[in-house]
Each structure stands twice: as C-alpha cells, then as structure tokens.
Amino acid sequence: MNTLIISALIVAIGISAAPAAEAAELWRATGLEQPESALFDAANDRIIVSNISGNPGDADGNGYLSVLSLDGKTVTRHWTDGMDAPKGMAISGGKLYVADITKVRVVDLASGKLVASIAVPNAVFLNDMTSDQSGKVYVTDMLADAIYRIDGDRPELFVRDAMLASPNGVFADGNRLIVASWGKGIKPDFSTAEPGGLLSVDIASKVVSPLPGAQKFADLDGVIAIGDSIYATAYMTGTLYRYHTGGAPEAVAHFKPGSADIGTDGKSILYVPLMSEGEVAAMKLE
C-alpha cells in the first residue's frame, strides 16, 4: 500500500478496460491526504475518512481523520489529529477505533476527541478493522499474518495463520470474518510472489477457510459484504471486484492504482478511498 511506488507501477501494470457498468460513480470528495479508509457512520449520517499524510509505516504524527457529508462535501477536514498513519476503522459502543501502525486509537464519536491509545503487543503493521454483533473489534496485522481482537480496551491475539497471507481488509459478516488477503512474498514494491484472495474466519472456532473460486487473483486491500455479495479492492491495479459464493470474482469498476479500505452504507453505496489521488469516490451499485 505504499503510495510512493505507485507512479512507477502504473505503466507496468496497466488498467484493463472496464466491463459493462455495474457500479456508477455518484461523486468524489477531493482535497484529502492519502485517504486509506472511508467508514459510514450511520448514527450520525456522515462518512469518516482516515488520512495517512506520509509514509504508511512512519510514526510521524501527521495522520488525522476527516468528516464528509453523505453528498461528499467536507464537513471537518481535521476532525481528529494526533495520529501517525491511521488506516482501517470500526465503530463500537459509541467509540471509533482506528488502526495506527502498532496501536489502536480510540476516538469519542460525539466530539472527535482522541481519548485513548491501545498498544497491541507484537503488532507490526495494523491495517483494517471491523466490529462484530457483540461489539468486539478486530484488526488485521498485514505483515504478521495475524488478526487481533479488542474487547473494550483489552487486545488479544485472535488468530495467526499463514493461510491469511498478509491479511489486509476485514469485515464482520454474522458469525464469520471475511478477510481480503494481499498475498504471499511481498516485494519491496509491494507486489507479491503470489497474489491474494478472499478468506473466511469462523469467529467461534477461529478456523480459516478459503472462499471457493476467489483465490490467488489479486493483491487485495479493502473488503465489505452486502447481502450475498462481497466487494473487494485491489490496490495495485485499482480494481473493484464483486464475488458471489461459488462464482469467480468479477471487476465492476476501475480506478487508478491506490484503492484502499472501502466502506458501505449497507444497502447500495460503496465509499472507495483513492489514496494516490487524495479522493474518496462514492459508487452506486447497479
């Protein structure tokens, strides 16, 4: 996900022609700084965006959160400051949890005030987050093949498994976590020796299972589920994929390389952060 290498990859990777439109762009929010995640806050009718504003692995104090209206207008650009390289987010118990390298930041949803920082022991590169039906929060550690669970302010290792293959995106879907894998053998330019795919982790048993037909097809970043459809972004190519159980992933939209942790209103709209462009695109599913 390092945006510094994207410009050198655009020519080498190329962007294939899009199929018949299956996701129409509604608007783009501009003026952001390496937006990595866009989270729909249903209780407050807004979109919260994490801005890395620097190297994704540097504890430089430059990171912050922004708030957008549902029509893509900037409500508050610097809503929460004091972070390093914030990425994925999750809401639980009136609080916003934000992955920030080796810590999880806790923000009061009402005020935007940073109220706590939870150090995650042995974490390397925390990335995406989600919360389950019981209010527990999960965060992926992309460079350690691990997922941590946080209950209140207590972090614990939930699962570590080589099958996770650099887990990036994560989304709680009933009694399972859906995981988007970046892939195995990450190279200096963030390409991989083996591309990633989609996986499922049973919350009760912690068993990791590949989703049939959705393996080794892309270096995946964000993931969400709406009904029986799973949507995932491929950061290196800018492709938005849709997957149904038993089928094969299909491209439904294309952006420039840099699409990251997507959000959704849970109905028909996706919010896609475009890190290399400093924008968030709202997509209407058709």
Side-chain angles (χ1 to χ4, degrees):
M1 334 187 347
N2 191 333
T3 59
L4 299 179
I5 51 88
I6 289 302
S7 58
L9 289 169
I10 292 175
V11 174
I13 294 174
I15 302 176
S16 58
E22 296 185 58
E25 189 168 315
L26 297 176
W27 49 256
R28 284 201 186 193
T30 61
L32 300 161
E33 296 183 275
Q34 291 169 270
E36 203 281 339
S37 184
L39 179 69
F40 177 64
D41 178 7
N44 296 290
D45 288 327
R46 61 189 178 183
I47 303 155
I48 303 171
V49 179
S50 60
N51 296 264
I52 291 176
S53 187
N55 189 303
D58 285 356
D60 54 17
N62 292 337
Y64 62 95
L65 306 181
S66 299
V67 174
L68 305 178
S69 63
L70 296 187
D71 59 357
K73 302 296 190 299
T74 300
V75 176
T76 309
R77 181 166 181 184
H78 282 265
W79 184 57
T80 307
D81 289 306
M83 299 185 183
D84 293 315
K87 301 177 183 70
M89 299 175 286
I91 293 172
S92 179
K95 296 177 181 178
L96 176 69
Y97 293 78
V98 187
D100 195 359
I101 310 179
T102 60
K103 300 180 179 68
V104 171
R105 310 289 192 176
V106 184
V107 176
D108 177 69
L109 266 182
S111 66
K113 181 180 179 182
L114 179 61
V115 295
S117 293
I118 302 171
V120 180
N122 304 313
V124 180
F125 193 79
L126 301 179
N127 204 307
D128 197 16
M129 301 195 72
T130 190
S131 57
D132 67 16
Q133 296 171 341
S134 70
K136 294 181 176 63
V137 175
Y138 300 81
V139 57
T140 57
D141 191 339
M142 179 180 172
L143 299 183
D145 290 342
I147 299 174
Y148 291 88
R149 180 164 60 189
I150 297 173
D151 187 358
D153 60 356
R154 299 185 303 277
E156 64 175 356
L157 179 64
F158 177 66
V159 61
R160 189 188 304 275
D161 194 317
M163 285 183 63
L164 292 173
S166 307
N168 193 317
V170 63
F171 187 84
D173 181 42
N175 60 3
R176 67 176 180 170
L177 301 179
I178 300 170
V179 178
S181 160
W182 190 278
K184 295 182 178 180
I186 297 178
K187 302 175 183 179
D189 65 359
F190 271 73
S191 63
T192 55
E194 179 180 291
L198 295 171
L199 307 130
S200 173
V201 182
D202 184 86
I203 290 176
S205 68
K206 304 181 183 180
V207 171
V208 181
S209 305
L211 295 185
Q215 299 307 302
K216 301 180 183 179
F217 71 95
D219 299 321
L220 297 179
D221 198 305
V223 66
I224 58 97
I226 301 177
D228 62 354
S229 297
I230 295 174
Y231 294 87
T233 52
Y235 184 92
M236 303 296 276
T237 61
T239 308
L240 173 65
Y241 289 97
R242 179 176 63 191
Y243 167 79
H244 290 116
T245 301
E250 56 179 341
V252 296
H254 292 268
F255 306 95
K256 292 180 181 179
S259 53
D261 291 332
I262 50 179
T264 180
D265 67 352
K267 299 175 183 177
S268 62
I269 298 178
L270 303 182
Y271 303 105
V272 185
L274 306 174
M275 280 182 60
S276 58
E277 298 177 77
E279 300 176 344
V280 170
M283 308 295 295
K284 175 74 172 179
L285 302 175
E286 299 181 351

